[in-house]
Amino acid sequence: KCLGVHTTTTGAVSLCETDIVVPQNCSLYKWSTTSPGINLPTPHTSFITFVCHSKTYKYYASCDWKGVIAIYDDNFEVFFSLKGLDPPLAAVKFHGDDVLMVLTRGKHEHDRTSIATYQVQNNNVSLTKVLSGNYYQCASFDNFIFSWNWLQPEFTLCVHDSELGVLIKQQKLMSDSPGIGFAINKENLILEVNNRSLLWFNTTTLLEHSSSHLINVASSKIWTMILISQYNLLFQKSRQTYVILDIRTGDVVKSFCGPSAFACYIEISPSNPKYLWVCTVESMACLIFTQPLDQPDPSTTTELPVSSKVYNFHEISCCGLILHGAHLITGDMAGNIFTWDATSEGQQITRHSSEGIISGGHEPPSENPITYLSKTHIQDGIRALACHTTSEGRDVVLIGTLSGMLLFWTIETDTEPVPFVGAGDTITCIRTSGDNLVCYSSITGEVFVEEVDYEMLMETWGTSGHTNILSRTIHIPRTPATPEEEAKFGSLRLQAEVWSVDVSPCQQYVLSGSEDQTTKITEISSGNVMKSFKDHELAVTCVRWVVVATGTMLSLRDNAPLAVSSSDDNMIIVRDPWQGVILRKYSLPEELHGFCTLTYFDLLLPTTSDELSPGFGKCRVVMGTVNGYVIVRDLETGEVEFCERVHQGSIEGLWGRTGGSFATCSSDCTVQVHWLEADEGKLRS
């Protein structure tokens, strides 16, 4: 809902609902375990709220927020579409093979809703009946339609005869908070109530008496669940844990790890019960098991799906990472910091392909050998990391936090991280340069540069050894001039967040990118803004300096560096910073599925013996997106050399280095190191 605010003459504030803003590019995709998503034709121009199939997959149906129903044949061609129903349509569900139930939901909490049924035969569709009420959800089995009617403060289960449309049973439920999740089979109906409990009805005796059983589950809100056998219920228990529960005893038969985002739909493949499809608010995955899920083996309590061996170390969204020598260093919002062996020797990592299935077959992998080398923890969320090797050979990790503190931690020692300077608010990015420069930025538009003597910093526990040489608000908050301009900004009315900074190779300038859609070059010694560019239409998410090899089309005079920037507008811009000329401009490739924006990028510079760069001096840019894709492009030609979805969440950190390796971290709490290899003229990871 989009709410507008106005003040009455008495000074009281009230809320009124304004027009719902809907996208014009609503898409429906068909997926399989062996092919990527295929975009299907659809009459929808608003949010698609539900899709379903009939019992024998003879028909498919979808509905949207504007009141449009579409019905498809088994070739996924639309043969019927109906417009003008009372929007929004909450769900469409088939009762058997020939009856389509349509659940409408009012725009306001207490608006009356209804369940309409349509007869579908030989590609002809006709309205048969309308069940009026305040229905929250509905399901069906055999000759009955089950629905739960919510008119505060009562929550009622209703049973209708599907042929006659008459109410034959009504029962008040012991709950004042209906849930979203439900499951049904021939003998059982499970409803979520009060968020953490399940109500179990026997459908065969429901018409005779009103007995029910309450099952308590220590779970977060259950969005979806399915009965995979007569008494075994599968649902998402927590953000990353899925369980199979015996509803008779309340005992967990089996548990396993799956996609970490909230699941909104789960279903076992009817053709192969070893396949479990999981749709979350962020992604879709197919989990493959060694035995059918509808026949769980009670002798084992826990079994991980073959295609989803998950080893969780990070607790909350992983936001900071660095590839430094042989080490990968990662941090998360819970304050954990890990160091890992980032070399390729002995590491065989289970990998998901873009089609959603595991590469290399379906045999169970051996135990994953990966483990962290060292770990520390701070009482603050981690937003940014950097690392520097001192003249004595010690690796010092710099940590930027949500509260605005800058800390250092020496990997080789058991000491805890030590704070030594503060930014006043969340530190968004840290870059080191040369022997002693540290540049970092904050969400208040400020850019800082410290001159650091690392040995003294460690000897004095942060009390000395650092001198501030730049502290200035480079990106100044301002109020948008028009509503259209305001819609393009995040929190610009309050702040102009600096999302990324980088120090020039000559160590005289800082390149910065901000929520205010500008890229600026600031002189470190004076604090003066030397150049300001506004070529992006949305927030600038990442910036880097790069020196390309002499003799290429992008090389500048005297090996002067290029300025590269990325943005939420999905564009990468390469420019001559001093002439202000845009040399290259690339958008995301068309083969990406779903909503996505660019989050971070880095550069893969060639080595003299780089087998990925036959010829001389090929430079690549590796990019990450909000929906987990990694794209590798030739910086000079723009050719897409690699494009694959590698994460189930947003890529929140990306670090490349000389040669063909890079690392990513994500809101799905996983970290990956990739090595690019040449394969018949193409890159693979």
Side-chain angles (χ1 to χ4, degrees):
K1 290 183 178 179
C2 182
L3 296 177
V5 182
H6 70 271
T7 306
T8 67
T9 54
T10 60
V13 175
S14 61
L15 299 177
C16 62
E17 187 174 66
T18 61
D19 291 338
I20 297 174
V21 180
V22 296
Q24 299 301 314
N25 58 343
C26 299
S27 299
L28 196 63
Y29 289 91
K30 173 193 172 185
W31 291 79
S32 75
T33 56
T34 56
S35 65
I38 301 172
N39 199 339
L40 302 174
T42 171
H44 298 297
T45 59
S46 179
F47 292 114
I48 297 175
T49 55
F50 212 87
V51 293
C52 68
H53 58 75
S54 61
K55 186 176 181 180
T56 62
Y57 299 88
K58 182 179 180 181
Y59 300 116
Y60 298 81
S62 59
C63 65
D64 69 25
W65 199 253
K66 277 189 173 180
V68 176
I69 301 173
I71 303 179
Y72 313 78
D73 60 22
D74 54 3
N75 291 319
F76 297 98
E77 295 182 357
V78 178
F79 69 84
F80 176 81
S81 109
L82 180 63
K83 301 180 181 180
L85 296 178
D86 291 334
L89 300 182
V92 284
K93 300 178 182 180
F94 274 98
H95 174 62
D97 234 10
D98 301 323
V99 176
L100 179 67
M101 302 186 301
V102 180
L103 175 65
T104 66
R105 182 172 298 165
K107 291 184 180 180
H108 302 280
E109 186 174 328
H110 300 294
D111 282 359
R112 293 190 65 78
T113 57
S114 62
I115 301 172
T117 59
Y118 292 82
Q119 188 73 30
V120 184
Q121 285 185 336
N122 300 323
N123 290 5
N124 292 318
V125 182
S126 59
L127 177 66
T128 55
K129 58 184 71 69
V130 176
L131 312 177
S132 298
N134 286 80
Y135 298 110
Y136 190 71
Q137 270 285 18
C138 65
S140 68
F141 206 90
D142 287 344
N143 295 322
F144 305 109
I145 295 176
F146 301 90
S147 57
W148 20 123
N149 204 333
W150 187 29
L151 185 60
Q152 288 186 334
E154 295 184 349
F155 181 31
T156 306
L157 173 65
C158 302
V159 184
H160 287 81
D161 184 298
S162 61
E163 297 293 333
L164 303 176
V166 296
L167 181 67
I168 57 178
K169 179 75 176 182
Q170 188 170 351
Q171 178 179 339
K172 182 179 178 181
L173 303 179
M174 48 181 177
S175 169
D176 57 3
S177 176
I180 296 176
F182 74 93
I184 189 171
N185 63 14
K186 190 171 184 178
E187 296 184 3
N188 304 292
L189 173 64
I190 311 293
L191 307 179
E192 181 202 359
V193 293
N194 293 325
N195 293 342
R196 291 179 175 269
S197 301
L198 301 175
L199 205 56
W200 169 32
F201 292 90
N202 187 308
T203 56
T204 59
T205 61
L206 180 60
L207 299 181
E208 301 171 6
H209 54 82
S210 303
S211 63
S212 62
H213 301 278
L214 190 67
I215 306 171
N216 292 314
V217 288
S219 171
S220 57
K221 190 170 188 64
I222 302 173
W223 286 23
T224 183
M225 51 186 169
I226 55 172
L227 282 159
I228 59 176
S229 62
Q230 184 176 2
Y231 295 112
N232 286 331
L233 182 73
L234 170 61
F235 63 94
Q236 185 183 29
K237 181 179 175 64
S238 62
R239 190 168 175 84
Q240 201 165 28
T241 303
Y242 295 73
V243 299
I244 298 175
L245 188 79
D246 188 322
I247 57 177
R248 297 167 297 182
T249 63
D251 295 334
V252 173
V253 178
K254 203 175 288 291
S255 65
F256 57 90
C257 292
S260 61
F262 289 111
C264 45
Y265 186 76
I266 51 179
E267 181 174 346
I268 294 178
S269 171
S271 60
N272 190 340
K274 295 180 182 180
Y275 283 43
L276 177 68
W277 288 93
V278 180
C279 296
T280 75
V281 294
E282 295 178 349
S283 63
M284 182 165 66
C286 182
L287 309 184
I288 304 170
F289 293 78
T290 56
Q291 64 175 351
L293 272 176
D294 56 358
Q295 301 171 10
D297 181 2
S299 64
T300 58
T301 304
T302 302
E303 179 191 352
L304 292 174
V306 175
S307 64
S308 186
K309 276 279 188 180
V310 178
Y311 290 78
N312 248 3
F313 296 94
H314 288 291
E315 299 174 15
I316 307 177
S317 183
C318 185
C319 271
L321 94 164
I322 329 154
L323 268 177
H324 187 78
H327 289 154
L328 172 66
I329 305 156
T330 60
D332 63 30
M333 292 290 189
N336 300 306
I337 306 169
F338 296 92
T339 64
W340 316 79
D341 181 358
T343 60
S344 59
E345 287 77 14
Q347 302 287 8
Q348 181 59 46
I349 304 174
T350 301
R351 181 178 68 88
H352 292 274
S353 74
S354 58
E355 289 82 16
I357 63 173
I358 191 173
S359 59
H362 301 154
E363 290 301 316
S366 59
E367 284 300 309
N368 196 318
I370 298 175
T371 185
Y372 57 84
L373 302 176
S374 58
K375 175 187 176 182
T376 190
H377 179 80
I378 62 173
Q379 298 297 321
D380 200 348
I382 295 167
R383 186 63 180 81
L385 294 173
C387 190
H388 177 79
T389 301
T390 70
S391 56
E392 301 294 326
R394 292 193 283 184
D395 290 330
V396 180
V397 179
L398 301 175
I399 306 162
T401 70
L402 294 179
S403 66
M405 291 303 300
L406 189 62
L407 304 88
F408 71 90
W409 174 51
T410 309
I411 295 178
E412 291 82 2
T413 65
D414 294 329
T415 57
E416 295 181 353
V418 178
F420 67 97
V421 71
D425 215 324
T426 300
I427 294 175
T428 55
C429 182
I430 310 171
R431 294 287 184 186
T432 61
S433 179
D435 294 331
N436 60 354
L437 286 189
V438 176
C439 179
Y440 57 101
S441 56
S442 79
I443 62 172
T444 53
E446 294 175 289
V447 174
F448 305 86
V449 178
E450 300 280 331
E451 205 168 43
V452 177
D453 182 332
Y454 289 95
E455 297 297 337
M456 183 175 292
L457 187 72
M458 290 183 287
E459 290 175 6
T460 62
W461 291 85
T463 57
S464 62
H466 57 93
T467 304
N468 180 267
I469 57 176
L470 176 64
S471 177
R472 189 160 186 174
T473 302
I474 303 300
H475 297 267
I476 302 172
R478 62 180 180 84
T479 303
T482 64
E484 291 76 17
E485 184 183 10
E486 182 178 359
K488 293 184 177 181
F489 292 83
S491 56
L492 185 59
R493 205 180 306 181
L494 300 175
Q495 301 160 347
E497 297 96 325
V498 180
W499 295 122
S500 181
V501 288
D502 197 20
V503 179
S504 64
C506 65
Q507 298 186 322
Q508 297 180 25
Y509 305 100
V510 172
L511 182 66
S512 59
S514 169
E515 183 73 32
D516 67 5
Q517 306 170 11
T518 66
T519 304
K520 295 186 178 183
I521 300 175
T522 303
E523 187 178 44
I524 295 176
S525 59
S526 66
N528 294 330
V529 176
M530 311 299 292
K531 296 284 184 178
S532 180
F533 308 106
K534 190 178 181 184
D535 300 298
H536 289 292
E537 296 180 0
L538 294 174
V540 180
T541 55
C542 192
V543 294
R544 292 303 302 266
W545 296 98
V546 58
V547 177
V548 297
T550 304
T552 62
M553 293 177 63
L554 284 177
S555 61
L556 301 180
R557 66 218 169 277
D558 301 324
N559 282 336
L562 302 169
V564 187
S565 60
S566 68
S567 167
D568 278 340
D569 64 9
N570 292 336
M571 300 299 296
I572 288 271
I573 291 179
V574 183
R575 76 165 65 247
D576 179 337
W578 302 114
Q579 297 297 322
V581 178
I582 295 178
L583 304 176
R584 297 289 187 275
K585 194 173 184 178
Y586 303 125
S587 61
L588 288 178
E590 295 181 356
E591 56 263 37
L592 269 66
H593 295 293
F595 169 81
C596 62
T597 60
L598 278 173
T599 52
Y600 294 93
F601 75 88
D602 208 344
L603 298 154
L604 304 178
L605 302 177
T607 63
T608 54
S609 59
D610 188 1
E611 64 178 21
L612 296 181
S613 302
F616 185 72
K618 191 171 186 177
C619 181
R620 294 176 172 90
V621 57
V622 53
M623 304 172 281
T625 72
V626 75
N627 57 348
Y629 277 91
V630 164
I631 305 104
V632 178
R633 292 190 106 121
D634 184 318
L635 188 66
E636 184 171 331
T637 66
E639 178 189 359
V640 176
E641 298 182 286
F642 178 81
C643 180
E644 186 172 306
R645 188 172 190 179
V646 300
H647 282 287
Q648 297 295 322
S650 171
I651 292 179
E652 296 297 325
L654 192 153
W655 198 282
R657 59 182 173 188
T658 300
S661 64
F662 60 90
T664 58
C665 67
S666 168
S667 61
D668 65 9
C669 299
T670 65
V671 182
Q672 300 179 9
V673 182
H674 290 258
W675 292 267
L676 292 176
E677 300 173 349
D679 184 12
E680 297 182 355
K682 296 183 179 180
L683 293 185
R684 63 182 180 90
S685 168

